[in-house]
């Protein structure tokens, strides 16, 4: 695109050593380049290069001219020629630009190669770090992408149209269709603010200039309105009270201006906000739904990259506080620009510093305002296709009430340089489905009951599964917390708590139920049935600890419930330590366990006990003959176990007893 680059001014000096005729053309090109007339520059430098005259400086200049005029296929070609020269000490920024140009022509594998080189040259650069931390970014973008149509608005012209905002029943946007003085950057007329009326069928038409007092003979663009529609902030060249001012280096910067709606419905009392400067740009405002914060893009002091996103408080009296950079969670060394804050506090922005599909991509930080207020971690997401493409995508705006969304792109198939696209915000509903199985055998559990609850425990839906043991719940809201529970007779219920994301998709959750009623049979081990891996004792002791007592209460409850059951308590150790010592220690522990149950009222003739030391290992973790073992602690743990073997029940005896 051409328009967003207004915020970043490049001044590069060029030195050429060629034939006299070529030098003349290069001097002309250099002059045009410094004056930001990139279209003419590329034509002149291209002629020189195609005549066989190249140098590092010329290729840098030529590739940059195409890059900043958004002719990415040509930019990739000439950056590629520059890379073939294999110059030592080249600015790593050229690796980044080459990677971006390659992305724009969807050569992602080659782009990744140069991004890796860029990241290796400066490991502190946030763009390189972002790339290195998400090397699977294309898969992540595919996951975030959604299936809906975007439409090129009928109101677009053959020139540049971008940066849409709704105001009452109108769509307000910037366009260079107004005629008049041309801007040398792209040889199009300067931008003005225009509006289009919303029709009953939801389309927009009847384009006219928004306000003659706001529009001037220089650039106006990107407007934001306060929630009461009484104040507007907009972007304009450094032109105020009919005075056009440049910075010390001769560049005319961008500023944000404020206008107030008077009693006649006209915008007047236009004033420059207090932190504007002749030396840096301030642009692209957006205001939160409470009217308490304004977000904007700037390259003021403290900026991390080419342009950053800042915030500023809007005080109760309408004055503005001091701007604050949103920091490295939002900004990189690249361009972060065109912020938009929606009614739920989600922050959208466009960036070429984070991993994307090419050029500027639209990103979002969900629940940004709340997380920032609570100082919680924030996650920046690429919104994916179809909003993003291999070209520049920016100026995102959405109205969650009317389900309307807009963004600007210079993708192929448009009417002009930049076009405004619309879309209907897709209904965000989730589908939850899964199966119910036995956790141990993975058998499908037909007849299980599955219930869906909201985050507060209120029942929403319920069904009984058939022979395929599958369940399905539709219509779940996005960004909500839910709980799904599976139940079946003789099983303990299984439940999963989950939160739905902010996009339409299927969720799959398998419910695994454990047997709750297990048939007590002779030779069964209560330790396995009751999930008692070990009865713990302090080192070298056999007094019953509290945590062991908790486990023994389970055994006690079973023996009280089934008065005919008899139990053999068995204690085992691992192989470490002398065998005789282990046998004695385990015997004492087994007897101590038996005595605990007797003391709690179990008849002594229902209990036997024996310690086996290390004589009955369940694996190959023996220590003979050196009393050493290479087994892990986890493997030894399997041998340090307690068993409560059912020796008889209801007159039936365990054969081994």
């Amino acid at each position: 695109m051409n328009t967003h680059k207004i915020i970043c001014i490049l001044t590069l000096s060029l030195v050429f050593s060629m034939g006299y005729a070529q030098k003349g053309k290069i001097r002309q090109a250099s002059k045009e380049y410094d004056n930001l007339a990139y279209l003419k520059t590329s034509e002149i430098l291209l002629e020189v290069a195609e005549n066989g005259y190249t140098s590092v400086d010329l290729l840098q200049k030529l590739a940059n001219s195409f890059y900043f005029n958004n002719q990415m296929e040509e930019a990739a070609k000439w950056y590629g020629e520059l890379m073939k020269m294999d110059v030592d000490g080249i600015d790593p920024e050229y690796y980044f630009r080459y990677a971006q140009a390659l992305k724009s022509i969807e050569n992602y594998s080659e782009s990744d190669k140069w991004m890796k080189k860029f990241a290796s040259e400066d490991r502190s650069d946030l763009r390189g770090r972002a790339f290195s931390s998400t090397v699977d970014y294309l898969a992540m973008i595919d996951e975030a992408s959604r299936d809906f149509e975007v439409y090129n608005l009928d109101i677009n012209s053959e020139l540049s149209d971008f940066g849409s905002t709704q105001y009452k029943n109108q769509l307000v946007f910037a366009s260079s269709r107004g005629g008049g003085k041309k801007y040398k950057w792209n040889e199009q007329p300067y931008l003005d603010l225009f509006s289009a009326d919303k029709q009953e069928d939801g389309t927009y038409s009847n384009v006219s200039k928004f306000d003659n007092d706001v529009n001037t003979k220089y650039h106006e663009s990107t407007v934001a309105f306060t929630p009461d529609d009484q104040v507007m902030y907009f972007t304009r060249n450094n032109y105020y009270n009919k005075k056009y001012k440049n910075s010390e280096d001769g560049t005319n910067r961008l500023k944000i201006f404020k206008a107030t709606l008077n009693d006649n419905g006209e915008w007047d009392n236009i004033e420059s906000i207090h932190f504007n400067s002749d030396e840096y740009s301030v642009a692209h405002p957006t205001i939160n739904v409470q009217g308490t914060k304004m977000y904007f893009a700037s390259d003021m002091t403290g900026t991390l990259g080419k342009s950053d996103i800042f915030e500023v408080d809007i005080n109760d009296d309408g004055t503005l506080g001091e701007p604050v950079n949103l920091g490295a969670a939002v900004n990189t060394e690249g361009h972060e620009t065109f912020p938009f804050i929606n009614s739920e506090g989600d922050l959208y922005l466009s960036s070429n510093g984070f991993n994307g599909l090419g050029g500027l991509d639209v990103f979002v930080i969900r629940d940004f305002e709340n997380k920032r207020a609570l100082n919680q971690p924030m996650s920046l997401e690429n919104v994916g296709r179809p909003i993003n493409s291999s070209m520049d995508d920016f100026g995102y705006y959405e109205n969650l009430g009317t389900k309307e969304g807009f963004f600007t792109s210079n993708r192929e198939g448009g009417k002009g340089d930049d076009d405004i696209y619309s879309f209907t915000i897709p209904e965000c509903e989730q589908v939850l489905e899964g199966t119910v199985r036995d956790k141990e055998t993975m058998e499908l559990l037909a007849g299980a009951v599955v219930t869906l609850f909201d985050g507060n425990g209120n029942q929403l839906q319920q069904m009984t599964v058939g022979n395929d043991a599958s369940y399905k719940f539709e219509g779940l809201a996005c960004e909500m917390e839910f709980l799904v529970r599976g139940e079946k007779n003789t099983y303990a219920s299984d439940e999963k708590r989950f939160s739905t994301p902010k996009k339409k998709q299927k969720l799959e959750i398998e419910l695994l139920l454990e047997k709750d009623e297990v048939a007590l049979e002779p030779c069964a081990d209560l330790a396995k049935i009751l999930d008692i891996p070990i009865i713990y004792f302090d080192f070298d002791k056999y007094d019953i600890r509290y945590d062991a007592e908790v486990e023994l209460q389970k055994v006690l409850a079973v023996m009280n419930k089934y008065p005919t059951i008899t139990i053999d308590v068995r204690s085992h150790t691992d192989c470490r330590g002398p065998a005789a010592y282990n046998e004695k220690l385990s015997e004492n522990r087994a007897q101590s366990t038996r005595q605990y149950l007797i003391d709690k009222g179990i008849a002594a003739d229902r209990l036997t006990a024996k310690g086996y030391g290390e004589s009955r290992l369940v694996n190959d973790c023996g220590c003979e003959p050196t009393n050493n073992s290479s087994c892990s602690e986890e493997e030894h743990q399997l041998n340090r176990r307690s068993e409560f073997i059912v020796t008889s029940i209801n007159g039936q005896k365990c054969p081994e007893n």
Side-chain angles (χ1 to χ4, degrees):
M1 63 167 287
N2 301 314
T3 48
H4 80 279
K5 307 262 181 351
I6 297 170
I7 203 171
C8 57
I9 307 302
L10 296 180
T11 54
L12 302 178
S13 60
L14 299 181
V15 178
F16 295 90
S17 55
M18 295 185 182
Y20 179 78
Q22 303 303 324
K23 286 183 180 178
K25 290 185 177 180
I26 292 169
R27 282 196 296 270
Q28 179 185 350
S30 182
K31 179 179 178 182
E32 298 290 0
Y33 189 90
D34 291 339
N35 288 331
L36 308 181
Y38 292 131
L39 189 63
K40 293 180 181 178
T41 299
S42 62
E43 293 173 355
I44 296 169
L45 294 178
L46 181 60
E47 180 182 344
V48 173
E50 288 182 339
N51 284 338
Y53 293 87
T54 60
S55 69
V56 172
D57 291 329
L58 185 143
L59 289 174
Q60 288 176 338
K61 181 76 77 169
L62 177 60
N64 285 342
S65 294
F66 283 117
Y67 183 82
F68 292 119
N69 200 45
N70 213 55
Q71 295 175 261
M72 291 301 185
E73 186 170 357
E74 288 296 310
K77 172 184 175 181
W78 294 108
Y79 280 133
E81 292 298 318
L82 175 64
M83 298 308 154
K84 288 178 183 178
M85 301 187 85
D86 196 21
V87 181
D88 291 333
I90 191 171
D91 187 342
E93 194 70 19
Y94 284 97
Y95 301 144
F96 177 78
R97 292 176 192 164
Y98 186 30
Q100 292 297 102
L102 289 166
K103 271 188 184 180
S104 293
I105 59 175
E106 301 187 30
N107 190 345
Y108 293 110
S109 59
E110 188 69 11
S111 173
D112 289 352
K113 168 186 168 182
W114 289 99
M115 275 301 297
K116 288 177 183 177
K117 187 169 180 61
F118 170 72
S120 67
E121 289 290 320
D122 184 356
R123 299 187 183 279
S124 66
D125 191 291
L126 295 174
R127 294 167 295 175
R129 290 166 63 183
F131 170 80
S132 299
S133 65
T134 52
V135 292
D136 58 343
Y137 68 95
L138 288 175
M140 296 172 66
I141 292 173
D142 286 340
E143 179 69 20
S145 297
R146 294 181 286 176
D147 184 18
F148 59 86
E149 295 292 327
V150 298
Y151 302 95
N152 190 301
L153 289 181
D154 292 338
I155 61 174
N156 287 314
S157 70
E158 62 183 11
L159 299 174
S160 185
D161 306 283
F162 73 97
S164 48
T165 302
Q166 287 180 321
Y167 174 68
K168 296 183 177 178
N169 207 36
Q170 296 177 320
L171 189 70
V172 181
F173 61 97
S175 178
S176 55
R177 70 183 69 194
K181 185 176 181 180
K182 290 187 176 181
Y183 183 45
K184 289 203 296 185
W185 188 301
N186 56 9
E187 296 188 329
Q188 291 184 16
Y190 278 79
L191 297 162
D192 280 331
L193 290 175
F194 288 79
S195 64
D197 298 326
K198 186 176 182 180
Q199 307 303 309
E200 291 185 2
D201 62 359
T203 61
Y204 289 85
S205 60
N206 303 330
V207 176
S208 61
K209 285 197 173 183
F210 180 67
D211 187 278
N212 289 330
D213 291 328
V214 171
N215 287 322
T216 65
K217 60 183 178 180
Y218 295 106
H219 286 304
E220 283 81 31
S221 70
T222 50
V223 61
F225 298 92
T226 55
D228 60 6
D229 292 332
Q230 298 301 301
V231 176
M232 67 177 285
Y233 294 88
F234 63 95
T235 306
R236 178 193 280 174
N237 277 124
N238 187 356
Y239 179 72
Y240 185 52
N241 289 335
K242 298 184 178 181
K243 293 182 179 179
Y244 184 89
K245 293 184 178 181
N246 289 329
S247 62
E248 290 184 358
D249 64 6
T251 301
N252 182 268
R253 304 289 179 172
L254 297 178
K255 292 186 174 184
I256 293 178
F257 290 84
K258 175 183 178 182
T260 305
L261 193 67
N262 64 25
D263 293 338
N264 298 321
E266 300 167 336
W267 294 101
D268 64 5
N269 193 28
I270 297 174
E271 57 185 41
S272 171
I273 62 175
H274 74 86
F275 50 83
N276 283 328
S277 172
D278 296 340
E279 301 304 318
Y280 55 76
S281 289
V282 178
H284 313 317
T286 180
I287 298 172
N288 67 0
V289 69
Q290 296 85 9
T292 58
K293 298 273 188 185
M294 180 169 72
Y295 302 88
F296 61 93
S298 179
D299 58 353
M300 67 173 63
T301 302
T303 301
L304 300 179
K306 303 297 188 298
S307 63
D308 283 3
I309 307 300
F310 290 76
E311 72 173 2
V312 63
D313 290 330
I314 302 176
N315 300 318
D316 292 340
D317 61 0
T319 59
L320 300 178
E322 294 301 320
V324 177
N325 189 301
L326 291 184
V330 177
N331 297 309
T332 70
E333 285 85 349
H335 292 283
E336 279 70 50
T337 185
F338 289 98
F340 169 72
I341 192 82
N342 73 4
S343 58
E344 294 183 348
D346 302 330
L347 179 65
Y348 291 82
L349 62 119
S350 288
S351 173
N352 63 6
F354 297 100
N355 287 328
L357 295 175
L360 290 173
D361 270 22
V362 177
F363 295 83
V364 62
I365 301 176
R366 311 280 184 196
D367 199 28
F368 168 81
E369 290 203 304
N370 184 51
K371 288 179 178 177
R372 183 161 171 80
L374 298 175
N375 198 29
Q376 294 178 344
M378 293 179 285
S379 175
L380 183 141
E381 309 167 26
N382 188 302
V383 302
R385 301 178 181 90
I387 302 297
N388 289 324
S389 69
S390 62
M391 303 300 285
D392 284 316
D393 307 289
F394 59 101
Y396 183 92
Y397 176 91
E398 66 179 17
N399 184 326
L400 296 179
T402 62
K403 300 297 183 182
E404 293 175 281
F406 303 90
F407 67 96
T408 304
S409 181
N410 63 352
R411 63 188 61 185
E412 290 186 9
K415 296 184 177 73
D417 280 356
D418 301 304
D419 283 358
I420 301 170
Y421 290 78
S422 69
F423 62 95
T424 300
I425 299 174
E427 291 294 331
C428 194
E429 291 185 349
Q430 312 289 324
V431 176
L432 172 66
E433 57 187 21
T435 54
V436 187
R437 295 178 180 270
D438 183 297
K439 184 176 181 179
E440 184 174 352
T441 67
M442 297 306 290
E443 174 190 357
L444 295 172
L445 296 181
V449 176
V450 183
T451 309
L452 179 69
F453 301 88
D454 66 17
N456 296 320
N458 300 310
Q459 181 175 318
L460 302 176
Q461 300 181 55
Q462 187 178 79
M463 67 172 293
T464 300
V465 302
N467 291 333
D468 62 357
S470 66
Y471 69 91
K472 185 176 183 179
F473 297 125
E474 298 180 305
L476 280 68
C478 293
E479 295 188 295
M480 295 284 290
E481 187 174 336
F482 296 92
L483 183 143
V484 61
R485 177 184 297 155
E487 299 171 285
K488 185 175 172 63
N489 289 338
T490 74
Y491 282 86
S493 63
D494 181 29
E495 60 185 30
K496 299 288 193 308
R497 188 173 293 272
F498 64 97
S499 297
T500 52
K502 192 177 182 179
K503 66 175 183 177
K504 189 174 182 178
Q505 69 173 27
K506 284 185 178 180
L507 301 170
E508 294 186 6
I509 295 179
E510 190 170 54
L511 296 171
L512 302 176
L513 277 58
E514 293 186 85
K515 275 285 189 180
D516 188 34
E517 294 184 12
V518 180
L520 282 178
E521 299 174 336
C523 302
D525 183 359
L526 286 184
K528 293 181 179 179
I529 294 173
L530 301 174
D531 191 25
I532 305 174
I534 188 171
I535 298 297
Y536 286 99
F537 296 84
D538 289 329
F539 177 73
D540 204 30
K541 294 182 179 180
Y542 43 88
D543 297 327
I544 300 296
R545 296 187 343 188
Y546 174 76
D547 53 352
E549 188 173 3
V550 172
E551 301 298 330
L552 288 175
Q553 285 292 318
K554 299 177 184 178
V555 179
L556 182 64
V558 172
M559 298 195 75
N560 284 330
K561 184 175 182 179
Y562 300 98
T564 67
I565 197 172
T566 61
I567 298 293
D568 183 30
V569 180
R570 301 174 181 177
S571 178
H572 304 270
T573 70
D574 60 41
C575 70
R576 292 173 293 186
Y581 170 81
N582 285 337
E583 185 174 347
K584 180 179 180 181
L585 181 64
S586 64
E587 175 68 18
N588 288 337
R589 288 178 173 178
Q591 296 301 330
S592 179
T593 301
R594 176 178 182 268
Q595 189 60 46
Y596 173 86
L597 294 171
I598 293 172
D599 292 344
K600 295 298 181 181
I602 302 300
D605 61 1
R606 295 177 62 194
L607 293 162
T608 56
K610 182 175 176 58
Y612 291 87
E614 60 187 80
S615 64
R616 293 190 177 185
L617 302 177
V618 297
N619 53 28
D620 295 329
C621 291
C623 300
E624 295 298 337
T626 61
N627 204 33
N628 290 319
S629 172
S630 61
C631 287
S632 66
E633 184 62 33
E634 290 76 13
E635 290 171 315
H636 284 303
Q637 175 73 39
L638 295 175
N639 291 313
R640 295 196 306 274
R641 67 197 188 279
S642 300
E643 295 175 329
F644 298 86
I645 305 300
V646 178
T647 54
S648 67
I649 183 171
N650 296 330
Q652 296 182 355
K653 294 184 178 181
C654 177
E656 68 179 66
N657 294 93

